[in-house]
Amino acid sequence: MHFGASWYPEHWPESRWPRDLALMKRAHFTVVRMGEFAWSTMEPADGRFEFGWLDRAVALCEQAGIDVVLGTPTAAPPAWLTSAHPETLAVGEDGRTAIHGNRCHYRPLSPVYLRYCRRIALEMAKRYGRKKCVIGWQIDNEFNHQSHDEDTRRQFQDWLKVKYRTLARLNDRWSGAYWSEDYQDWRQIVIPTAWGHNPGLRLEWQRFHTTTYRLFQKVQIDAIRRHADRRQWITTNLMGWFPLFDHYQVSRDLDLASWDSYWPTGTPDPVEDALPHDLTRGFKRRNFWLIETQPSSVNWAEINTMHEPGRIRLRNWQAVAHGADAVLYWQWRNALGGQEQLHGSLVGQDGEPRPCFDELAGLGAEFRKAAPHLKGTTTAAEVALVNCYDSRWAVGFQRHHKDYDWVRHFREHYAPFFNRQVGVEVLSSLVAPDRHKLVVAPALWLLHETTAKNLAGFVERGGHLVLTTRTGAKDAENALFPALPPGPLAALAGVAVEDVYPQTAPVEVTGRFKGRAKIWVERLRVAKGTEVLARFGAGCDWVKGRAAVTRRRSGRGSVTTLAGWFEPPLLDAVLADVMKAAGVRPRFSGPPGVEFSVRTDGRGREVVIVMNHSEKAVRLRPVPGRALLAARPRGPWTLAARDVEVFA
Ligand code: GAL
């Protein structure tokens, strides 16, 4: 377990640094993150490097027994670079070139920019690649830009050429004859605008960002690896559900997945908070770092709520419960100037601890206590939810109902497991489910052959699969299959979708499960041998009396198809039924707002983390193990509002 913050010594006189380190020790810090954004201090003029200050800051950390993660500063190019090379600045969709003074406003594919990035990464690695207290590297900061410049466009065209080989093939796959959208020359291909372009083209442009950022980070990874000890890991800080690129692919070249989690408003939503942790754990199917999170408020929300005492501790424990092996705050101390002077920090403008400090220092002490127990463990999960970027993007381009938000759909199918204390792994759609009993594939609109094969294999081996609306309508190039959905999964599911019906009002569901579907229902043709478990009632005459939930058994496994986006109580009932069929048994139950999460080493050693997200104290049944954080009675016990206990 690591605990720390982003520290920007370059904002302060060196005479101040020892005091910072002493306060960090008081907060039980084990690590600081430094360097990202400090390009102009490391290289004040083209090719003139000044690392003396960083050497001394790193040395102070080493003396204090605090490890260091170094960020490459490439998210914040210095003014000498952007003014000498304006061609490194990103061009927006509106054709305007970015101006200096922001972050990530570079062209990620600019050869000139990449040359400078490589050089600064190399210089840093030469200097710190063997430094004992430097344990890892962070490339750049929150990749988030795309550029619409002509050079990027040419690279996109070249990339398409490699992928499609012939224009005839590309034109065919994108239905080019439609609206005369076919191309006679690769150089005619445009960068699509967010509105109104060909779905095939839009999907490829989106996918191109994955290639872009893999390439962008690879330049720096290679530079660091030339000089760094193997024990130093490399990550980049991701942003949970951020949609720009496929996070599974970008994580491939990294040693560790890490992400930045912020809660702009004060309203807690434990489900919404938990899911991106599970998502990030899935990027490398390993524990991750929460490499940035707020110690109190942010500065960029409409209302920058200061969270109530105990909330940050609780949420940070939740991250650990879902697989975080480190929690780092952003930031240690707010600079007196700059865009983020009002952001939350542990130390204030006077250099002294802010009111949140003691809560967080207490958490540092708790992590220290729990660390030996958590070592070698990860979040237990018998259930997987399949995440497919292509489907998400494709639905995003063509929602067909303004409220068909793919991530929300995903989250609503995650919630029943969360609410029943059942651990979930979020699995890439290109990875075969292995250790799972139950797999839910929400809105798998775009179905790759590999995914269809993996899911069929899972069911053959006795797995229980749940399919939802919009599944299997499209192929890998975002064209409709010339067959009814769920296309390649139709035989396995034993249904075919005759048509879809976006709704303005709920549609009733009756039968073994009763409740309502909202915004979306589908009309199923049911094959012989497929059971109908529930039917649609009033609300949409096209589907009235027709199947709303079906199940097809296949060996020891089954496929359950949901022909509507169900309201939460109905969805909960259906998924509880599938859990039963799949032999997924919740081990804990508690009042609403209480979360139980198990981390296991896979060999019987377990840590149970119990979190009370509610504003009321709760009485709970005994949990196996010894309470690590507070003295607890042997029998039934009370967990205060916003409190946490850890049993090992
Ligand atoms: C993150 C960013 C940090 C800081 C923080 C403020 O997105 O990586 O550098 O700006 O937001 O909340």
Side-chain angles (χ1 to χ4, degrees):
M1 271 305 295
H2 268 295
F3 187 61
S6 289
W7 182 41
Y8 301 104
E10 69 274 21
H11 299 168
W12 307 99
E14 290 197 28
S15 55
R16 161 70 202 188
W17 299 354
R19 170 85 178 131
D20 279 329
L21 269 301
L23 285 171
M24 287 178 194
K25 291 300 281 183
R26 207 163 103 193
H28 304 280
F29 273 20
T30 61
V31 70
V32 289
R33 193 181 69 152
M34 284 197 269
E36 89 280 5
F37 315 129
W39 200 340
S40 66
T41 318
M42 293 180 197
E43 190 181 356
D46 195 344
R48 179 154 66 79
F49 295 99
E50 286 187 8
F51 284 113
W53 66 275
L54 190 53
D55 293 349
R56 293 188 291 280
V58 169
L60 272 185
C61 292
E62 189 153 39
Q63 273 165 32
I66 291 180
D67 290 334
V68 172
V69 173
L70 283 178
T72 65
T74 54
W80 58 255
L81 197 165
T82 53
S83 48
H85 298 287
E87 75 278 18
T88 61
L89 287 167
V91 174
E93 206 181 300
D94 57 4
R96 279 162 64 172
T97 304
I99 53 165
H100 186 79
N102 208 320
R103 286 186 299 184
C104 298
H105 50 323
Y106 51 75
R107 286 182 201 177
L109 290 177
S110 150
V112 177
Y113 197 63
L114 289 175
R115 216 167 50 232
Y116 278 104
C117 290
R118 181 172 177 275
R119 188 172 74 180
I120 189 74
L122 262 181
E123 289 299 319
M124 288 181 78
K126 269 192 229 158
R127 206 144 181 125
Y128 306 107
R130 310 232 176 278
K131 208 96 208 91
K132 202 154 152 255
C133 69
V134 175
I135 57 169
W137 296 84
Q138 176 190 304
I139 309 278
D140 203 80
N141 193 80
E142 295 185 341
F143 304 147
N144 64 52
H145 252 71
Q146 42 179 293
S147 182
H148 292 245
D149 62 277
E150 277 305 305
D151 181 51
T152 300
R153 180 178 167 204
R154 262 191 301 279
Q155 298 197 48
F156 176 50
Q157 293 163 341
D158 293 344
W159 179 81
L160 288 170
K161 199 167 172 182
V162 171
K163 180 159 184 184
Y164 286 85
R165 293 188 307 273
T166 66
L167 269 180
R169 181 155 186 278
L170 178 143
N171 287 331
D172 173 59
R173 297 305 297 125
W174 295 359
S175 299
Y178 172 85
W179 282 3
S180 293
E181 284 176 4
D182 41 1
Y183 297 99
Q184 293 80 46
D185 190 315
W186 295 96
R187 293 290 170 235
Q188 295 161 344
I189 299 175
V190 297
I191 290 180
T193 50
W195 167 243
H197 262 113
N198 183 298
L201 170 65
R202 287 188 75 182
L203 182 63
E204 295 301 6
W205 172 240
Q206 189 75 48
R207 285 176 173 151
F208 183 62
H209 303 319
T210 303
T211 307
T212 299
Y213 279 104
R214 278 191 84 174
L215 205 143
F216 179 82
Q217 70 177 4
K218 189 73 174 42
V219 167
Q220 297 191 44
I221 291 172
D222 289 348
I224 293 169
R225 279 283 160 244
R226 262 183 72 178
H227 297 285
D229 287 343
R230 199 53 241 185
R231 67 176 173 84
Q232 292 183 341
W233 45 255
I234 301 179
T235 191
T236 190
N237 51 339
L238 301 165
M239 290 187 275
W241 283 109
F242 189 69
L244 189 64
F245 47 83
D246 181 327
H247 287 48
Y248 297 101
Q249 290 193 47
V250 165
S251 300
R252 253 191 226 167
D253 305 316
L254 300 168
D255 304 304
L256 171 79
S258 65
W259 87 287
D260 302 346
S261 170
Y262 290 93
W263 307 287
T265 71
T267 323
D269 182 341
V271 181
E272 193 167 342
D273 293 346
L275 175 54
H277 295 311
D278 289 336
L279 173 76
T280 308
R281 198 179 74 246
F283 292 151
K284 291 200 74 71
R285 303 196 73 187
R286 239 182 277 147
N287 285 359
F288 61 93
W289 274 39
L290 182 60
I291 206 161
E292 278 186 25
T293 191
Q294 71 212 55
S296 50
S297 79
V298 296
N299 71 322
W300 42 262
E302 280 184 20
I303 300 174
N304 295 301
T305 318
M306 222 16 132
H307 291 274
E308 289 290 354
R311 279 276 165 215
I312 298 284
R313 165 182 177 251
L314 177 60
R315 284 170 150 168
N316 293 166
W317 265 116
Q318 191 188 39
V320 174
H322 289 265
D325 275 346
V327 172
L328 278 75
Y329 298 107
W330 198 93
Q331 56 181 331
W332 172 247
R333 184 178 180 185
N334 47 322
L336 299 180
Q339 283 94 319
E340 294 177 306
Q341 60 190 160
L342 300 186
H343 199 282
S345 57
L346 284 96
V347 168
Q349 62 203 84
D350 63 347
E352 290 306 307
R354 289 172 80 162
C356 64
F357 186 96
D358 287 344
E359 175 181 324
L360 307 182
L363 178 61
E366 290 178 351
F367 281 170
R368 181 157 292 187
K369 231 190 269 173
H373 301 278
L374 290 165
K375 199 169 179 189
T377 67
T378 190
T379 310
E382 293 181 326
V383 174
L385 257 74
V386 173
N387 178 26
C388 173
Y389 280 92
D390 287 337
S391 292
R392 174 182 172 192
W393 292 327
V395 168
F397 303 152
Q398 294 168 305
R399 282 193 178 199
H400 215 60
H401 185 305
K402 69 178 176 39
D403 297 330
Y404 205 113
D405 174 329
W406 195 90
V407 172
R408 180 150 166 240
H409 178 84
F410 193 97
R411 187 162 54 238
E412 289 191 10
H413 288 74
Y414 168 88
F417 300 104
F418 180 91
N419 292 332
R420 284 163 192 275
Q421 324 294 353
V422 169
V424 168
E425 176 174 24
V426 177
L427 199 65
S428 157
S429 57
L430 297 176
V431 167
D434 41 26
R435 49 186 99 123
H436 314 96
K437 293 180 174 169
L438 197 174
V439 169
V440 182
L444 201 58
W445 205 30
L446 202 146
L447 194 59
H448 288 265
E449 249 173 67
T450 321
T451 310
K453 256 192 224 143
N454 287 345
L455 294 178
F458 168 71
V459 175
E460 252 160 49
R461 293 192 303 276
H464 296 264
L465 173 66
V466 177
L467 301 176
T468 81
T469 47
R470 296 184 89 148
T471 300
K474 291 185 147 194
D475 69 15
E477 268 90 42
N478 209 9
L480 295 169
F481 282 120
L484 292 182
L489 288 174
L492 192 71
V495 294
V497 179
E498 292 179 341
D499 226 327
V500 303
Y501 302 88
Q503 296 296 307
T504 50
V507 179
E508 263 176 41
V509 173
T510 57
R512 188 192 304 181
F513 315 107
K514 290 177 186 45
R516 305 198 307 180
K518 58 181 191 186
I519 82 158
W520 193 278
V521 293
E522 302 190 337
R523 176 163 146 150
L524 298 187
R525 185 186 300 156
V526 180
K528 227 174 117 206
T530 305
E531 253 181 290
V532 177
L533 305 183
R535 292 182 185 274
F536 289 114
C540 171
D541 289 350
W542 288 108
V543 297
K544 197 169 172 187
R546 287 175 170 267
V549 181
T550 64
R551 184 166 299 157
R552 187 170 183 94
R553 289 175 204 282
S554 170
R556 283 177 299 116
S558 72
V559 183
T560 303
T561 302
L562 318 187
W565 179 344
F566 296 156
E567 287 185 346
L570 175 60
L571 188 54
D572 182 74
V574 176
L575 292 182
D577 182 80
V578 189
M579 276 188 242
K580 216 160 144 205
V584 174
R585 276 179 211 89
R587 289 183 41 201
F588 302 98
S589 70
V594 178
E595 180 186 356
F596 293 77
S597 184
V598 179
R599 278 183 56 156
T600 167
D601 72 350
R603 291 186 298 273
R605 185 162 62 85
E606 285 187 348
V607 180
V608 182
I609 303 173
V610 189
M611 294 152 276
N612 183 0
H613 298 288
S614 82
E615 287 293 325
K616 274 195 270 176
V618 289
R619 284 294 278 172
L620 298 171
R621 283 199 288 270
V623 174
R626 182 172 64 83
L628 299 184
L629 307 187
R632 306 279 179 190
R634 282 189 165 272
W637 58 293
T638 301
L639 187 62
R642 300 178 211 153
D643 201 1
V644 183
E645 188 51 87
V646 179
F647 295 88

